[in-house]
Amino acid sequence: DTGSLDTARWTALNRKDSFNNEKQYYHPNQVAVTGDNLELTAIDVPRQGKAYQSGLITSNALYGIGRFEARIDLPTSQGMWPAFWLNANNVQWPLGGEIDIMENRGSQPNLVSSAYHWQTDPGPCCDQRQFVFDEYTATEGGQPVNFHAGFHTYAVEWEETSIRYYVDDNLYHTVTEQPNRPIIETPKNIILNLAVGGDFGGDPDGSTVFPQTMKVDYVRYWQKSTSPPQPSALVNGSFDDSGGTLNGWTTFGNSIPNVSAQSEAVLDGTSSLKIFGQFSGGENFSGVQQGIAVTEGQEITADASAFIRSQDTLSGKDNEVFMKLEYFSSFGAGSGSPDFLGETQILIADGFTAENAWLPHQIIDTAPTGSVEARLSFLFRQLNNHNGAIHIDSVTLSALDLGLLGDLNGDGFVGITDLNLILGAWNASITPGTAADPSGDGFVGIADLNIVLGNWNAGTPPATGGAIPEPGTLALLGFGGLALLRRRN
């Protein structure tokens, strides 16, 4: 907001040679603060043997784990490579771990990506370097979002054992620590740059328009003072958020990309999850996962419906699709970590699955001792480059306390108030797992009534008390009320 770059916090780079076969010379002349925005501008003017000039700033300070966020208006045109990222400039790359919050190709206005790079071998770079990445698209009003038109917010939440990536506050990618993938906690510099050309998106060509400017409204950094509550409900189980996205879900094996929200086959809303293989030549797994907070002993129920289109048949092929619940003693822990407690898995599709029909699938399980997270996954296993795909929709995941099942109002007692909640919403379709739906099936009916009646008088009556109906009276009240409800309906 001062009209110039705050050099106490930032340095504008003066560097001829970069990496990745980039074609720009980074020069401070291409860094400016105009109209309360940082502007990094790429120009078609050579300097010292480089074909173009552009801008890069890096924070003078190193920042540890926390939330990093920037509001950015991206440039367009072939050969532009804007990025917002974290790197430990004082450590040999990539031993400090690199967190790419946002990268974009000038030729792809409707897609942004993120990545995490690391290396555990202390030897020279880069034979042991590893990375994972994901890509994000969205729609608005039925049209793809253009990230080159206007400002969008890009953020990462970096913690000791996980990294979560956001676009416009939509969580779309999570990297969790695993034995061969440490979340490196080395403090890092904040970097914003506009590269020109290189391996990521290719070099400028005859279609490229210069100059191009990357505008940054702000950069913000937070440190967490307390641990926020973990999610207790599944997000975007219909895959309809933001016009059809995987918001809230973490993808894996999405290399083509081959895991996305599509509208080819839909059961609920406007979109469904579509998964197919990576065509990598060997066995590979692709899919999504998402977890909710649980406690040991709770009943965990996962529901989903799956659809195989005849155009994407699995018949005569070796592909299989699994639905899986995993349990962890630490939220966000990796599957191969010591915090992994166990799993329950079912096969939901293979070469014998019926086509062109939505088939329901359910897992009912009990959270094992020490559980704090139940994580639902859908895995597409591809063998021998066999094609075929699956659509998944109407996904729910809920946790119920078996110790006092039927206590719908949460007063520690199963009684007339809980029964009234059932009767008041009888025959209604509601959000699965909410107060009047202890069965978690999204419909208030006999299953919910039986849960309350089966645990009647359990717990401690409220201090205000009141007469507790006898079982016979209760049955008359309950079923008499149901008769009235049926007649009225």
XYZ file of all heavy atoms in Angstrom, residues 22-66:
345
model
N 14.077 -21.938 -18.404
C 13.347 -20.670 -18.517
C 14.157 -19.679 -19.353
O 15.387 -19.741 -19.417
C 13.074 -20.104 -17.120
C 12.205 -21.018 -16.262
C 12.271 -20.672 -14.785
O 12.564 -19.497 -14.459
O 12.043 -21.569 -13.945
N 13.444 -18.734 -19.978
C 14.063 -17.839 -20.955
C 14.150 -16.390 -20.492
O 14.546 -15.518 -21.263
C 13.259 -17.889 -22.272
C 13.111 -19.297 -22.865
C 14.455 -19.936 -23.145
C 14.349 -21.254 -23.907
N 13.715 -22.327 -23.124
N 13.810 -16.103 -19.222
C 13.777 -14.725 -18.766
C 15.032 -14.356 -17.975
O 15.716 -15.205 -17.409
C 12.552 -14.469 -17.896
C 12.678 -14.969 -16.444
C 12.603 -16.466 -16.309
O 11.899 -17.122 -17.074
N 13.330 -17.027 -15.356
N 15.300 -13.055 -17.951
C 16.242 -12.448 -17.016
C 15.388 -11.765 -15.949
O 14.587 -10.885 -16.251
C 17.123 -11.418 -17.729
C 18.243 -10.833 -16.885
C 19.579 -11.056 -17.211
C 17.971 -10.042 -15.772
C 20.603 -10.524 -16.436
C 18.989 -9.501 -15.000
C 20.307 -9.746 -15.336
O 21.320 -9.217 -14.573
N 15.556 -12.167 -14.674
C 14.812 -11.513 -13.603
C 15.529 -10.209 -13.234
O 16.691 -10.218 -12.805
C 14.718 -12.411 -12.372
C 13.713 -13.533 -12.510
C 14.076 -14.863 -12.291
C 12.382 -13.263 -12.831
C 13.157 -15.890 -12.402
C 11.447 -14.284 -12.954
C 11.840 -15.592 -12.735
O 10.923 -16.610 -12.857
N 14.833 -9.073 -13.406
C 15.448 -7.775 -13.153
C 14.513 -6.916 -12.304
O 13.285 -6.920 -12.516
C 15.764 -7.062 -14.472
C 16.702 -5.921 -14.307
N 16.290 -4.658 -13.952
C 18.055 -5.862 -14.430
C 17.338 -3.859 -13.869
N 18.433 -4.558 -14.154
N 15.056 -6.150 -11.348
C 14.218 -5.310 -10.484
C 13.366 -4.305 -11.244
O 12.323 -3.863 -10.728
C 15.241 -4.612 -9.580
C 16.425 -5.529 -9.549
C 16.479 -6.133 -10.919
N 13.782 -3.929 -12.459
C 12.972 -2.985 -13.232
C 11.592 -3.534 -13.557
O 10.675 -2.765 -13.872
C 13.676 -2.625 -14.545
C 14.871 -1.718 -14.329
O 15.074 -1.205 -13.225
N 15.680 -1.545 -15.361
N 11.454 -4.855 -13.515
C 10.175 -5.479 -13.872
C 9.294 -5.728 -12.652
O 8.295 -6.437 -12.727
C 10.424 -6.791 -14.619
C 11.282 -6.652 -15.867
C 10.843 -5.497 -16.738
O 11.601 -4.559 -16.988
N 9.594 -5.563 -17.196
N 9.672 -5.130 -11.519
C 8.910 -5.234 -10.279
C 8.451 -3.838 -9.882
O 9.271 -2.924 -9.774
C 9.754 -5.847 -9.144
C 8.964 -5.883 -7.842
C 10.243 -7.242 -9.529
N 7.148 -3.665 -9.675
C 6.616 -2.350 -9.317
C 5.410 -2.521 -8.410
O 4.784 -3.584 -8.363
C 6.222 -1.581 -10.572
N 5.092 -1.459 -7.669
C 3.855 -1.390 -6.897
C 3.036 -0.255 -7.475
O 3.438 0.907 -7.421
C 4.122 -1.182 -5.397
C 2.803 -0.994 -4.648
C 4.892 -2.362 -4.831
N 1.899 -0.601 -8.066
C 1.060 0.367 -8.773
C -0.391 0.161 -8.375
O -0.903 -0.960 -8.458
C 1.200 0.197 -10.294
O 2.585 0.282 -10.653
C 0.415 1.270 -11.029
N -1.054 1.241 -7.964
C -2.462 1.127 -7.607
C -2.718 0.122 -6.512
O -3.693 -0.627 -6.573
N -1.852 0.052 -5.514
C -1.969 -0.858 -4.371
C -1.808 -2.319 -4.750
O -2.208 -3.207 -3.986
C -3.303 -0.663 -3.638
C -3.438 0.734 -3.044
O -2.395 1.314 -2.726
O -4.569 1.211 -2.922
N -1.243 -2.600 -5.923
C -0.934 -3.974 -6.325
C 0.547 -4.106 -6.628
O 1.160 -3.187 -7.191
C -1.712 -4.378 -7.586
C -3.196 -4.501 -7.338
O -3.616 -4.950 -6.280
N -3.993 -4.093 -8.311
N 1.113 -5.250 -6.258
C 2.420 -5.623 -6.792
C 2.234 -6.040 -8.242
O 1.282 -6.754 -8.572
C 2.992 -6.797 -5.997
C 4.228 -7.475 -6.610
C 5.458 -6.593 -6.467
C 4.460 -8.842 -5.968
N 3.140 -5.594 -9.124
C 3.070 -5.974 -10.531
C 4.406 -6.547 -10.981
O 5.459 -5.903 -10.847
C 2.693 -4.775 -11.402
C 1.292 -4.251 -11.131
C 0.848 -3.192 -12.137
O 1.703 -2.728 -12.935
O -0.351 -2.839 -12.129
N 4.375 -7.779 -11.472
C 5.531 -8.441 -12.066
C 5.252 -8.524 -13.557
O 4.298 -9.188 -13.969
C 5.723 -9.838 -11.478
C 5.791 -9.929 -9.938
C 5.916 -11.378 -9.495
C 6.945 -9.102 -9.392
N 6.077 -7.843 -14.362
C 5.770 -7.700 -15.790
C 6.837 -8.352 -16.648
O 8.038 -8.097 -16.474
C 5.635 -6.217 -16.160
O 4.599 -5.636 -15.364
C 5.277 -6.055 -17.628
N 6.391 -9.192 -17.574
C 7.278 -9.830 -18.549
C 7.246 -9.026 -19.845
O 6.167 -8.686 -20.339
C 6.833 -11.266 -18.809
N 8.448 -8.729 -20.384
C 8.535 -7.952 -21.618
C 9.402 -8.674 -22.643
O 10.296 -9.452 -22.297
C 9.093 -6.532 -21.364
C 10.484 -6.601 -20.714
C 8.132 -5.728 -20.504
C 11.152 -5.240 -20.538
N 9.126 -8.380 -23.890
C 9.839 -8.998 -25.015
C 11.064 -8.151 -25.360
O 11.199 -7.628 -26.462
C 8.898 -9.126 -26.208
C 9.516 -9.899 -27.364
O 10.579 -10.512 -27.154
O 8.927 -9.885 -28.462
N 11.947 -8.012 -24.379
C 13.168 -7.213 -24.543
C 14.333 -8.039 -24.002
O 14.323 -8.415 -22.825
C 13.076 -5.876 -23.796
C 14.395 -5.096 -23.927
C 11.904 -5.050 -24.298
N 15.318 -8.359 -24.824
C 16.428 -9.198 -24.353
C 17.340 -8.461 -23.370
O 17.397 -7.226 -23.359
C 17.173 -9.554 -25.644
C 16.828 -8.465 -26.592
C 15.445 -8.023 -26.255
N 18.050 -9.234 -22.546
C 19.041 -8.675 -21.620
C 20.117 -9.727 -21.388
O 19.817 -10.852 -20.972
C 18.403 -8.265 -20.301
C 19.418 -7.703 -19.275
C 18.763 -7.369 -17.957
N 17.991 -6.132 -18.033
C 18.471 -4.931 -17.740
N 19.737 -4.797 -17.371
N 17.704 -3.866 -17.825
N 21.344 -9.374 -21.695
C 22.518 -10.218 -21.445
C 22.318 -11.653 -21.933
O 22.579 -12.627 -21.215
C 22.865 -10.208 -19.959
C 23.289 -8.830 -19.449
C 23.789 -8.878 -18.013
O 24.228 -9.927 -17.517
N 23.738 -7.746 -17.339
N 21.839 -11.786 -23.163
C 21.707 -13.105 -23.772
C 20.409 -13.815 -23.481
O 20.168 -14.897 -24.041
N 19.568 -13.257 -22.634
C 18.255 -13.829 -22.373
C 17.234 -13.128 -23.266
O 17.283 -11.913 -23.454
C 17.862 -13.672 -20.899
C 18.695 -14.529 -19.960
C 18.404 -16.013 -20.179
C 19.142 -16.880 -19.177
N 18.847 -18.304 -19.347
N 16.280 -13.906 -23.774
C 15.346 -13.362 -24.762
C 14.322 -12.411 -24.156
O 13.797 -11.534 -24.852
C 14.619 -14.501 -25.476
N 14.033 -12.574 -22.842
C 12.967 -11.785 -22.224
C 13.421 -11.288 -20.858
O 14.415 -11.757 -20.298
C 11.695 -12.631 -22.061
C 11.303 -13.378 -23.313
C 11.643 -14.725 -23.485
C 10.599 -12.734 -24.331
C 11.287 -15.409 -24.633
C 10.242 -13.417 -25.490
C 10.594 -14.752 -25.637
O 10.258 -15.420 -26.780
N 12.641 -10.350 -20.291
C 12.847 -9.888 -18.928
C 11.544 -10.038 -18.155
O 10.459 -9.904 -18.713
C 13.278 -8.422 -18.905
C 14.622 -8.148 -19.560
C 15.003 -6.688 -19.477
O 15.038 -6.111 -18.391
N 15.291 -6.082 -20.630
N 11.681 -10.304 -16.854
C 10.498 -10.434 -16.010
C 10.881 -10.173 -14.563
O 12.026 -9.800 -14.274
C 9.858 -11.820 -16.173
O 8.574 -11.845 -15.582
N 9.919 -10.397 -13.630
C 10.145 -10.060 -12.238
C 9.924 -11.203 -11.284
O 9.094 -12.096 -11.530
N 10.680 -11.165 -10.187
C 10.558 -12.136 -9.096
C 10.869 -11.425 -7.791
O 11.848 -10.669 -7.710
C 11.497 -13.316 -9.289
C 11.532 -14.412 -8.212
C 11.953 -15.749 -8.812
C 12.449 -14.089 -7.029
N 10.047 -11.645 -6.760
C 10.381 -11.168 -5.429
C 10.423 -12.357 -4.480
O 9.689 -13.337 -4.631
C 9.399 -10.109 -4.908
C 8.004 -10.681 -4.697
C 9.362 -8.901 -5.841
C 7.077 -9.748 -3.919
N 11.296 -12.256 -3.484
C 11.393 -13.276 -2.444
C 11.422 -12.585 -1.094
O 11.986 -11.497 -0.947
C 12.646 -14.152 -2.629
O 12.702 -15.133 -1.584
C 13.914 -13.329 -2.587
N 10.786 -13.192 -0.113
C 10.780 -12.601 1.232
C 12.177 -12.672 1.821
O 12.922 -13.627 1.606
C 9.784 -13.335 2.131
O 10.202 -14.672 2.368
N 12.550 -11.624 2.568
C 13.846 -11.630 3.239
C 13.839 -12.589 4.426
O 14.883 -13.161 4.765
C 14.195 -10.223 3.714
C 14.314 -9.249 2.563
O 14.671 -9.635 1.444
N 13.994 -7.982 2.801
N 12.696 -12.753 5.057
C 12.584 -13.624 6.227
C 12.182 -15.030 5.814
O 11.611 -15.256 4.737
C 11.562 -13.061 7.197
N 12.486 -15.961 6.678
C 12.044 -17.347 6.534
C 10.829 -17.561 7.431
O 10.776 -17.062 8.561
C 13.158 -18.314 6.939
C 14.424 -18.296 6.062
C 15.572 -18.974 6.782
C 14.146 -18.986 4.739
N 9.860 -18.322 6.937
C 8.616 -18.538 7.673
C 8.393 -20.030 7.887
O 8.582 -20.835 6.972
C 7.430 -17.949 6.903
C 7.511 -16.451 6.757
C 8.183 -15.875 5.676
C 6.937 -15.611 7.706
C 8.271 -14.499 5.544
C 7.013 -14.230 7.581
C 7.674 -13.683 6.501
O 7.769 -12.319 6.380
N 7.967 -20.378 9.103
C 7.698 -21.769 9.426
C 6.275 -22.153 9.112
O 5.534 -21.438 8.418
N 5.870 -23.305 9.646
C 4.549 -23.847 9.343
C 3.465 -22.832 9.676
O 3.571 -22.066 10.631
C 4.305 -25.177 10.080
C 4.449 -24.982 11.596
C 5.256 -26.251 9.577
C 4.131 -26.217 12.390
N 2.421 -22.806 8.843
C 1.337 -21.848 9.010
C 0.494 -21.811 7.755
O 0.585 -22.684 6.892
